[in-house]
Amino acid sequence: MSIFCLGVNHKTAPVEIRERLAFAESAIPRHLDEIREIDWVAEAVVLSTCNRVEIYGAAEEPGKALDQLIAYLIDHFEIEAGDVEFYRHEADEAAHHLFEVASGLDSMVLGETEIFGQIKKAYSTAQTNGATSRRMNKLFQQSFSVGKLVRSSTRIQQGSTSVGSAAVDLAEKIFGQLDGCRVMVIGAGEMSRTTAQSLKSRGAKSIIVSNRSYDKAEELAAELEGVAVKFDDWADHLDKVDIVVSSTGAPHTVVKKVDVERAITKRRGHSLFLIDIAVPRDIENEVNELENVYLYNIDQLQRIADAGVAQRQQQIEICRGVIREFLDEKGIEAMAKVPESHQKKNAIAESAGSRGNEAVEESMSKALILGTRGSDLALTQARMTEAALKEQGIAVKIEVVKTIGDKRPDLKLSEFSQGENAVLDKGIFTKELEEALLRGEIDFAVHSLKDVPTELGDGFEICATLPRADIADVLLTMDEGLVSADGGDLAQLEGKTIATSSVRRAQQLRWICPGVKVVDIRGNVPTRIRKLTENGEWDGIMLARAGIERLGIYTPGQASFNFEGTQVFAIELPVDEFLPAAGQGAVGIEIRSDNEAARAAMATINHEPTFCRVTAERAFLERLKAGCQTPVGAHTWFEEDGATLAMSVRVFDEDSPDQEPFIGEVKGPSDEPAALADQLMALKG
């Protein structure tokens, strides 16, 4: 007596065939009786779902039983023999197939759990109707044990695999749990419906639906057990909900920043999560600058979903290894018992141990979670890091974390350590990322290195850098007359008003050109340029060239570029005359010091020349006890021999801005970059 499996699924047959072969639930007991009347078939279980129709059984001669079963199905469902191709498995091959199905490896959505319940129900129906005996009972009990084992010892269920599930997972991270969360759906299309259903299935309640067609709004509201509101009235309800799902198909934005600002003033600090799954986008991107407001668009959600799918695919062979080991150890005649070797085993990775091959192999066996800020530039740099790691065969999932600096765009950077608004000068763009590292929610964080404090928290370190971009600062202006002058002669700014968020730039500007007026500006890079083009009070703004270059806004050497239909002129400032920030142009990667797997993965993409230079620059800041908002310029370069590193610095007095800065320049062996900082400190006295 041997077991067998016969079937079709979403991989082998189109939906038209699966529909014709599907067993009506009420008719399954009758079919079980008919199947067991077939010669050689002793036991049977029928599994019929939208994605598969399978018959498992036990027979004295399984090959002949399978032939008879195919004839039975073709005759009963009136299908031409050439229209369908069944797969057929026997013995361990049949067991292995069932185990993969129970583990979610054979599902349309990899790792989904619904099939597990469907298998249990199919077995229960067969058992209740007397269609199973010793072999089927053992086989299905084993499938339940293996399915649980695979899910508990691997990451096959982790990671979002659709835009809707990505949105729901993010919502749970923001609110902790969705029980009691209130939802508003703007637009009654299929994407809105499925996302709202997912939110509802996780505990969300009080769903409001608004649509231009009120009839469709009422229809969806009834389906979701919610209420419909007129499209002109949705903004009146914005302060009463926690989550907004918008997908209207409108050719312009529907939800404006002013709408959200008005709502959050009534929310008393409660978070608001906005899911924009429309193309073109429904929600103004600027709402993401508001405190306690989280906005994700369809591209961001799709990237999360794609990373989730990739993460699950990385687990397939690991899951199959668990199944193979179970079969090798026990075989199909084994009692349904989880092998002791699996009780505490994590099938994803063993301990990384010492630095080396084991850690590299671990990092490549699962998707590492990359933490980043949500600005356009931060996401661009995160994707650069992701691409570099993928070239090394390492899968990455991007996780967006909002920092204090992102949540308080109303404050000057210098004000983060002053007065009643003090929220820690050190780490305003990194603190929450470090907290996520500490909690294990991310494996590594990607930063603009110039924004990273030199004194990291205990247990953290910068372990790698990407190749450095150009380190120069750029002056952007609407005044073509400024471009005609020598770009390096900042004396031309006499009497002009220049906006910048950097005290280093402000101090250097005033030192080079005492007559310049410097004002503060906040916001991400596109926002700052937009403010320049819309604000006639400023003559220019200053930004790092690396940022506008990485965003594709500016091409080096251009005298001007087009920004949203407006011509903007650019002046690149020579780095030996206008010193950049320490770490400017470098992307730094931060890890927990005890995460050897992450360290090993990052070592594969570390750019040693950049790491050497920024080590010297950051060491000098550390010796000064300076933060990223201390007015210090630092410039490093390699001498022609490549073995010598040089560094020039310019240090302004925070308390006495009119005082002449300390200026120093030193050289030393490139394999001892931190020693340059000591030389400069000795010069400074």
Side-chain angles (χ1 to χ4, degrees):
M1 188 76 68
S2 181
I3 65 173
F4 65 80
C5 168
L6 177 75
V8 297
N9 62 19
H10 62 282
K11 300 176 184 177
T12 65
V15 65
E16 295 83 5
I17 296 296
R18 301 201 306 274
E19 286 174 343
R20 293 175 65 184
L21 285 169
F23 289 85
E25 185 176 346
S26 61
I28 287 179
R30 174 173 58 83
H31 286 293
L32 287 168
D33 290 340
E34 293 174 355
I35 290 169
R36 291 176 64 218
E37 290 177 2
I38 295 174
D39 291 341
W40 301 288
V41 177
E43 305 175 45
V45 175
V46 171
L47 175 62
S48 182
T49 74
C50 59
N51 287 328
R52 72 184 61 250
V53 177
E54 295 178 338
I55 299 173
Y56 295 86
E60 289 291 349
E61 297 190 47
K64 292 181 179 180
L66 286 166
D67 291 339
Q68 293 285 347
L69 269 174
I70 291 173
Y72 167 77
L73 293 173
I74 288 174
D75 178 64
H76 180 81
F77 291 106
E78 299 180 350
I79 295 174
E80 294 291 332
D83 289 347
V84 59
E85 183 175 348
F86 294 94
Y87 47 79
R88 41 196 293 170
H89 306 299
E90 298 179 33
D92 277 12
E93 189 178 306
H96 192 281
H97 177 77
L98 177 60
F99 292 171
E100 286 206 354
V101 173
S103 302
L105 300 185
D106 199 52
S107 296
M108 186 174 290
V109 178
L110 187 64
E112 57 93 8
T113 57
E114 185 179 4
I115 187 63
F116 193 76
Q118 292 168 330
I119 293 173
K120 280 192 168 184
K121 186 175 181 179
Y123 169 64
S124 177
T125 298
Q127 189 181 42
T128 300
N129 286 275
T132 67
S133 188
R134 184 172 66 90
R135 287 169 180 78
M136 286 296 98
N137 290 339
K138 286 181 179 179
L139 175 67
F140 277 82
Q141 290 296 333
Q142 286 177 332
S143 76
F144 303 147
S145 297
V146 173
K148 290 177 182 177
L149 175 62
V150 167
R151 287 182 168 87
S152 65
S153 63
T154 73
R155 291 188 175 183
I156 193 62
Q157 287 182 275
Q158 296 187 19
S160 309
T161 57
S162 68
V163 167
S165 62
V168 175
D169 288 346
L170 285 169
E172 286 190 326
K173 289 181 179 180
I174 292 169
F175 296 104
Q177 58 182 13
L178 300 185
D179 291 349
C181 281
R182 299 156 297 179
V183 179
M184 177 187 289
V185 178
I186 304 175
E190 180 62 19
M191 288 281 282
S192 297
R193 183 183 68 81
T194 56
T195 305
Q197 284 178 332
S198 296
L199 291 166
K200 187 172 184 290
S201 70
R202 303 273 187 100
K205 67 174 186 178
S206 183
I207 297 177
I208 298 171
V209 181
S210 185
N211 191 65
R212 292 190 186 278
S213 168
Y214 188 65
D215 289 344
K216 288 187 176 180
E218 287 187 312
E219 182 181 333
L220 181 57
E223 182 181 338
L224 297 171
E225 299 179 332
V227 297
V229 300
K230 299 288 186 182
F231 193 75
D232 291 341
D233 298 333
W234 65 261
D236 297 334
H237 300 268
L238 195 56
D239 64 301
K240 304 177 184 67
V241 299
D242 306 296
I243 301 168
V244 177
V245 180
S246 189
S247 182
T248 67
H252 50 73
T253 54
V254 175
V255 182
K256 309 291 186 183
K257 182 179 179 182
V258 64
D259 299 319
V260 180
E261 281 180 314
R262 190 181 301 116
I264 62 174
T265 58
K266 303 176 184 179
R267 294 181 58 77
R268 298 181 180 179
H270 293 294
S271 297
L272 179 63
F273 179 36
L274 299 107
I275 304 165
D276 187 351
I277 47 181
V279 179
R281 288 181 288 181
D282 274 348
I283 305 174
E284 283 187 342
N285 195 54
E286 287 73 19
V287 306
N288 210 20
E289 299 173 1
L290 300 172
E291 187 176 8
N292 293 322
V293 175
Y294 303 83
L295 168 64
Y296 286 82
N297 61 43
I298 192 167
D299 284 350
Q300 293 168 320
L301 294 171
Q302 188 61 60
R303 282 194 294 270
I304 294 172
D306 290 345
V309 171
Q311 176 178 326
R312 292 191 182 193
Q313 288 174 337
Q314 291 271 338
Q315 298 297 299
I316 291 175
E317 286 307 313
I318 298 170
C319 296
R320 286 175 175 163
V322 174
I323 294 171
R324 283 194 299 270
E325 185 174 338
F326 185 92
L327 280 169
D328 290 345
E329 184 176 342
K330 298 296 183 180
I332 60 175
E333 295 299 323
M335 296 302 292
K337 179 181 179 182
V338 177
E340 185 177 348
S341 62
H342 283 299
Q343 296 286 331
K344 298 181 181 180
K345 180 178 179 181
N346 182 337
I348 299 171
E350 301 294 339
S351 171
S354 61
R355 303 180 189 181
N357 291 335
E358 290 183 8
V360 174
E361 289 172 3
E362 177 182 350
S363 70
M364 295 178 71
S365 71
K366 63 177 182 177
L368 296 178
I369 303 176
L370 181 162
T372 177
R373 295 171 59 198
S375 70
D376 291 342
L377 179 57
L379 287 170
T380 296
Q381 294 175 163
R383 288 191 288 270
M384 289 165 51
T385 309
E386 177 189 28
L389 286 166
K390 282 187 175 180
E391 286 185 4
Q392 302 299 321
I394 300 170
V396 174
K397 174 185 176 183
I398 294 177
E399 187 76 28
V400 175
V401 178
K402 261 197 172 182
T403 67
I404 297 173
D406 298 319
K407 295 175 182 178
R408 294 302 306 272
D410 55 307
L411 293 182
K412 298 179 181 180
L413 293 181
S414 58
E415 291 178 336
F416 277 93
S417 60
Q418 300 173 2
E420 62 180 17
N421 293 321
V423 288
L424 296 176
D425 172 53
K426 296 183 179 180
I428 61 172
F429 291 119
T430 60
K431 181 174 179 287
E432 283 80 2
L433 285 161
E434 287 188 345
E435 290 175 351
L437 280 169
L438 193 62
R439 292 191 297 266
E441 295 171 355
I442 60 176
D443 294 300
F444 63 101
V446 174
H447 306 288
S448 291
L449 197 53
K450 68 181 180 63
D451 295 331
V452 180
T454 52
E455 294 182 16
L456 299 177
D458 290 340
F460 300 103
E461 65 180 90
I462 300 296
C463 69
T465 55
L466 298 186
R468 195 172 197 173
D470 192 284
I471 63 176
D473 286 299
V474 177
L475 174 67
L476 302 184
T477 179
M478 305 290 289
D479 184 357
E480 186 175 6
L482 290 179
V483 181
S484 62
D486 180 2
D489 184 10
L490 291 179
Q492 64 186 309
L493 298 181
E494 183 77 27
K496 304 293 185 181
T497 300
I498 305 299
T500 177
S501 64
S502 163
V503 293
R504 169 191 58 84
R505 293 188 186 117
Q507 291 281 60
Q508 285 196 98
L509 276 173
R510 295 190 185 101
W511 179 64
I512 294 170
C513 183
V516 71
K517 179 181 179 183
V518 182
V519 297
D520 190 76
I521 185 174
R522 287 293 312 280
N524 59 36
V525 171
T527 298
R528 296 187 197 190
I529 300 175
R530 192 172 297 112
K531 288 179 179 179
L532 170 67
T533 61
E534 296 174 354
N535 188 335
E537 300 176 8
W538 302 335
D539 296 291
I541 63 172
M542 293 194 73
L543 297 170
R545 169 179 149 176
I548 55 177
E549 188 177 337
R550 283 175 175 150
L551 287 172
I553 295 172
Y554 171 74
T555 301
Q558 286 182 310
S560 67
F561 58 91
N562 184 286
F563 181 80
E564 297 180 350
T566 302
Q567 188 177 24
V568 178
F569 299 95
I571 303 172
E572 294 184 20
L573 306 179
V575 294
D576 56 349
E577 296 183 26
F578 198 91
L579 270 60
Q584 185 156 307
V587 175
I589 301 173
E590 182 179 12
I591 62 168
R592 289 196 325 271
S593 299
D594 62 355
N595 191 337
E596 296 296 345
R599 185 197 308 280
M602 300 311 121
T604 66
I605 63 171
N606 182 42
H607 188 250
E608 289 291 349
T610 297
F611 195 81
C612 174
R613 291 174 61 191
V614 300
T615 297
E617 295 164 17
R618 288 172 55 78
F620 181 63
L621 286 188
E622 190 273 330
R623 306 292 194 273
L624 284 174
K625 305 297 182 185
C628 56
Q629 277 300 301
T630 304
V632 179
H635 170 38
T636 53
W637 65 95
F638 290 100
E639 296 285 275
E640 289 184 5
D641 61 4
T644 303
L645 182 68
M647 179 160 62
S648 173
V649 299
R650 191 175 291 164
V651 183
F652 293 87
D653 192 307
E654 295 179 75
D655 300 320
S656 305
D658 295 331
Q659 184 174 317
E660 283 293 301
F662 163 73
I663 298 174
E665 183 175 313
V666 295
K667 298 178 182 180
S670 59
D671 59 354
E672 297 180 20
L676 271 65
D678 295 324
Q679 293 182 52
L680 284 165
M681 290 303 294
L683 288 176
K684 189 173 184 296

